[in-house]
Amino acid sequence: MRRWNGWADESRHPTLPPSALRLIEAELGPGRPTSDAVLADVVAAVPASRLQPNSLISLDPEDRVRHATGQSLPDWIALRSGRLRSVPDGVARPATNDDVRALLAWAGSSGAKVVPYGGGTSVVGGIGGAGWGNSRHPTTHQPILTIALERLARLRTLNERSGLATFGAGTTGPDLEEALRPHGLTLGHFPQSFERSTLGGWVVTRSAGQQSLGFGRIEALFAGGRVEAPAGTFELPPHPASAAGPDLRQLVLGSEGRLGVLTEATVRVVPRPAREAFPAWFLPDWSHAIDAGRAIGRAGLPLSMIRVLTPLETATLLALAGESRSMGLLRRYLGFRKMGPETSLLLVGASGTDRLVEAAVREVGPLVRREGGVAVGGSIGRRWIANRFRSADLRDALWEAGYALDTLETAIDWSRLPALAAAVERALSAGLEDLGERVLAFSHLSHVYPSGSSLYTTYAFRSTADPDETLARWRRLKGAASRAIVDAGGTITHQHGVGRDHAEYLVAEKGELGMAVLADLAHRFDPDGIMNPGVLLRGEP
Ligand SMILES: Cc1cc2nc3c(=O)[nH]c(=O)nc-3n(C[C@H](O)[C@H](O)[C@H](O)COP(=O)(O)OP(=O)(O)OC[C@H]3O[C@@H](n4cnc5c(N)ncnc54)[C@H](O)[C@@H]3O)c2cc1C
C-alpha cells in the first residue's frame, strides 16, 4: 500500500546512493530533515463529517485522510506536516453506474461538492477539494464528497477483432495490462505513475505515457466511454473515425472531473511487442543533443520513445546509478571519447517485431553521429527501463534527507525550445537567491514530436522546519517557472493537466472566449456547479 504521506509503498524504504547525496549536498548545501506528523494524530484531529450517514459512503476519518490530497508538492507539505486543515467529509466507492448517478443526485440534494478520485496521483492540485486552509484552497462551508473509482475497475468487454477494450475507469495501470496480457494485447500507456494512476485519470488529464511516441498519447487511445454527469448520462460510441461534427471525446479528454464522473472508457489496444530495445548515445552538449532529438523526431521513424537529457540531468542520472564497475567503465569510455561535463544523454525506445526494432535503431545511428554522438549500447537503457517507475520513490528519500523536489513540464515548437528551457531553468535557479538558498534545476525532453517537444524540468530545494515557509518557497518557484513558460509561448502543461495549480495560467493559451466556452460547458453538464470546483477553471473556491 502507498504510504499515507508520500509516494513509495509502505514496504519499501528508498535511499539515495552516496554519490547522489554528495551531488545534491554540493549543489544545495546540507539538508535539514524535518520530522513528519504521525498518521494517528492527524486522524484524531479530523473534524466530524458534515454528511448524513449513507450506505454508499464511508465517514471513517482515516479513509478521509487517505483521500484528502494528491501528490503535488503542496499536498506533500500538508501531509508531512499534518496540516490538513480540511479533509473530505466522506468517501464513496460506487460499484455501478447507477451508484454513481445516485451519489451525484444525493450530493446535489445535500449541497455537497464532489471530487472524483482515481489513483490520487495528480501533481497539480487536482485532488483536495475546496476548503483547504491555505490560499490555494479558499475555505468553503459546503461538505465535500469524494467519489473513489476503485470498485469500477475491471475489464468489461474485449473486442479482439477490433482491438477495443472497455474498462471501468478506476482500473489501475498494472490491472489493465494484466487483463490484456492473456490475449497478447497491450495498451502501451506507461506514465511514470503507471502503478498507481487509473485509466479514468489518464483520460481526464490528457496523460502521456513514456512510450507515447509509438503507442500514442491517451487522446489517441481513448475511443469512447461513458460519463455520469449531474445533468445526465453522456455516452461516446467508439467509432474508428467520424465526420459527424465536432469530436465530443475531446470534451471529456482534459475535463478533470468538471463535467461529471467518467465511469468507463473504451481504449484501442494493440498486440504486445515481441521485442523492445532502449539504446543510448552520448552527445557532446545539450545543443547537439536537441538537434539530434529533433532530427530523429522529424524523421518519422517507428520509435516508441525519444528522451534527451540536459548535462546536469545526465550527471544526476549517472550519480543515481551509483559506483558499480559498469558505471566506472562507462565513465572511462566517455572520457576516452572526449565527452566532458557538458555531455548529454539521448535515449530512444523501439518496440515491435525483431526486424522493425532493428531497422528503427539502425536508422537512428547516422542521425545521432551527425551531431557528434557516441553509442554506448543498451545497458543504460536497460537500467532506465528497470527503474522507470521506481525512480519516483527517490522523492521520499530526498524529503527525508531534508530536500523538497517538484517537477513541471511544458511543450513548445523546436525553434523556441532552447530559449524556453534556459528561461525555465534560470527562473528556478535564481528563484530563492535573495534568501541565500540555491535551487537545483535540470530538464529533459521526454516526448518528441515532428514540430516540437515537451520539456520536463525537475527542481529541488532545501525544505525548512516551518511548512508554511517551505510552501511559500515552492509558490515563488512554481510562479516564476510558470510565468517563464507562458512568456516564452509554451503550454502551461504537456501532460500533468491543469488542476488548481495551473488554472490561473490557462487563459494565456485558451483566451477569454475559450475560458468562457469551458465555463459554459461545465455549466451545461453540471448546472449547480457541484463537480470539482476550483479545478481547471479559475476564480472559484
Ligand atoms: C510520480 C508521478 C509520476 C507521474 N508521471 C506522469 C507521466 O509520466 N505522465 C503523465 O501524464 N502524468 C504523470 N503523472 C501525473 C498523474 O499521474 C496523471 O495526471 C494521471 O493521469 C492521474 O491519474 P489518477 O488516476 O491518479 O487521477 P487522480 O489524481 O485521482 O485525478 C486527477 C484529476 O482527475 C479527476 N478524476 C480522476 N478520475 C476521474 C474520473 N474517472 N472521472 C472524472 N474525473 C476524474 C480528479 O478529480 C482530479 O481532478 C505523474 C504523477 C506522479 C505522482
Side-chain angles (χ1 to χ4, degrees):
M1 191 200 287
R2 179 169 79 198
R3 52 183 71 187
W4 75 278
N5 60 356
W7 179 254
D9 199 271
E10 276 174 357
S11 62
R12 284 198 297 264
H13 301 283
T15 52
L16 288 170
S19 48
L21 193 58
R22 274 199 302 278
L23 184 140
I24 194 146
E25 281 179 350
E27 294 283 344
L28 301 181
R32 295 166 298 214
T34 52
S35 54
D36 287 342
V38 175
L39 176 59
D41 295 341
V42 175
V43 169
V46 168
S49 171
R50 294 167 290 183
L51 293 174
Q52 296 303 314
N54 175 316
S55 60
L56 285 174
I57 300 172
S58 156
L59 305 182
D60 174 60
E62 182 172 335
D63 219 2
R64 292 164 55 202
V65 167
R66 286 185 182 273
H67 289 83
T69 74
Q71 288 284 322
S72 70
L73 190 55
D75 291 337
W76 265 53
I77 296 168
L79 288 168
R80 295 283 184 158
S81 64
R83 295 199 185 175
L84 295 178
R85 283 176 245 176
S86 167
V87 293
D89 292 86
V91 180
R93 293 182 173 79
T96 63
N97 290 340
D98 287 349
D99 288 350
V100 176
R101 274 198 301 277
L103 284 163
L104 293 180
W106 186 82
S109 62
S110 315
K113 303 288 181 188
V114 173
V115 179
Y117 186 102
T121 68
S122 169
V123 281
V124 292
I127 300 289
W132 292 97
N134 61 38
S135 63
R136 210 160 61 106
H137 306 285
T139 303
T140 172
H141 297 295
Q142 283 159 300
I144 300 161
L145 172 65
T146 290
I147 299 189
L149 277 299
E150 65 191 53
R151 290 174 71 201
L152 287 167
R154 60 179 181 81
L155 178 61
R156 293 185 174 176
T157 58
L158 176 63
N159 178 342
E160 284 195 61
R161 192 170 169 83
S162 309
L164 291 172
T166 301
F167 286 92
T171 310
T172 61
D175 288 349
L176 182 144
E177 286 295 334
E178 220 31 65
L180 294 175
R181 187 184 299 275
H183 306 277
L185 296 167
T186 180
L187 179 62
H189 191 73
F190 303 110
Q192 195 191 30
S193 57
F194 170 78
E195 292 170 323
R196 305 204 185 285
S197 52
T198 62
L199 174 57
W202 300 339
V203 171
V204 301
T205 62
R206 302 185 78 98
S207 156
Q210 290 168 336
Q211 289 165 271
S212 292
L213 180 61
F215 292 102
R217 290 170 60 98
I218 202 71
E219 293 98 294
L221 303 174
F222 175 58
R226 182 185 179 104
V227 175
E228 297 296 349
T233 298
F234 184 48
E235 287 200 70
L236 295 157
H239 298 301
S242 168
D247 182 353
L248 297 186
R249 286 172 315 149
Q250 295 294 338
L251 304 185
V252 177
L253 286 156
S255 58
E256 301 195 17
R258 288 304 308 246
L259 308 186
V261 180
L262 179 68
T263 55
E264 67 177 39
T266 300
V267 285
R268 303 187 166 111
V269 296
V270 291
R272 300 181 77 76
R275 185 170 154 206
E276 298 209 286
F278 296 90
W281 285 264
F282 280 85
L283 279 296
D285 56 36
W286 174 232
S287 163
H288 283 87
I290 292 180
D291 284 346
R294 185 179 74 90
I296 303 166
R298 291 187 58 75
L301 301 174
L303 294 169
S304 59
M305 186 184 86
I306 303 172
R307 283 172 93 86
V308 186
L309 279 57
T310 57
L312 187 52
E313 180 152 345
T314 303
T316 308
L317 185 94
L318 296 180
L320 282 170
E323 305 286 2
S324 66
R325 188 169 163 272
S326 60
M327 289 312 295
L329 285 173
L330 175 67
R331 285 197 184 90
R332 277 207 292 285
Y333 177 67
L334 291 176
F336 170 70
R337 296 299 305 262
K338 307 239 174 324
M339 292 287 160
E342 289 306 308
T343 190
S344 272
L345 176 68
L346 182 146
L347 199 60
V348 305
S351 312
T353 60
D354 282 343
R355 273 178 39 196
L356 198 71
V357 167
E358 274 158 32
V361 172
R362 208 171 31 244
E363 293 290 324
V364 172
L367 299 172
V368 182
R369 280 197 294 278
R370 199 173 297 156
E371 299 300 330
V374 170
V376 289
S379 67
I380 288 206
R382 279 194 295 278
R383 185 188 289 270
W384 179 83
I385 200 84
N387 288 320
R388 65 167 157 172
F389 305 134
R390 285 290 59 73
S391 49
D393 291 357
L394 293 174
R395 198 177 177 198
D396 289 272
L398 275 166
W399 182 273
E400 278 142 33
Y403 303 98
L405 183 118
D406 193 21
T407 61
L408 44 86
E409 30 78 62
T410 175
I412 197 163
D413 53 71
W414 287 113
S415 55
R416 291 182 291 175
L417 174 72
L420 170 68
V424 171
E425 289 198 6
R426 210 169 33 242
L428 291 167
S429 306
L432 301 180
E433 233 164 36
D434 58 326
L435 303 176
E437 286 293 316
R438 281 171 287 162
V439 179
L440 177 64
F442 48 73
S443 310
H444 65 254
L445 316 183
S446 53
H447 297 80
V448 165
Y449 304 93
S451 64
S453 173
S454 71
L455 176 80
Y456 186 97
T457 303
T458 302
Y459 61 102
F461 58 100
R462 291 198 291 183
S463 54
T464 71
D466 175 5
D468 287 337
E469 176 58 22
T470 308
L471 185 62
R473 291 181 184 188
W474 171 81
R475 215 174 266 134
R476 283 174 67 164
L477 295 171
K478 177 77 176 176
S482 300
R483 283 190 297 278
I485 287 172
V486 169
D487 291 349
T491 172
I492 193 61
T493 171
H494 165 267
Q495 65 202 57
H496 286 163
V498 177
R500 289 182 177 75
D501 296 345
H502 292 151
E504 68 179 282
Y505 304 99
L506 198 57
V507 66
E509 60 196 83
K510 303 292 185 209
E512 293 294 347
L513 182 57
M515 293 305 296
V517 169
L518 289 179
D520 287 353
L521 193 63
H523 183 70
R524 179 78 226 182
F525 279 80
D526 174 25
D528 297 325
I530 67 169
M531 298 302 307
N532 241 357
V535 168
L536 193 64
L537 303 174
R538 70 199 158 140
E540 297 175 316

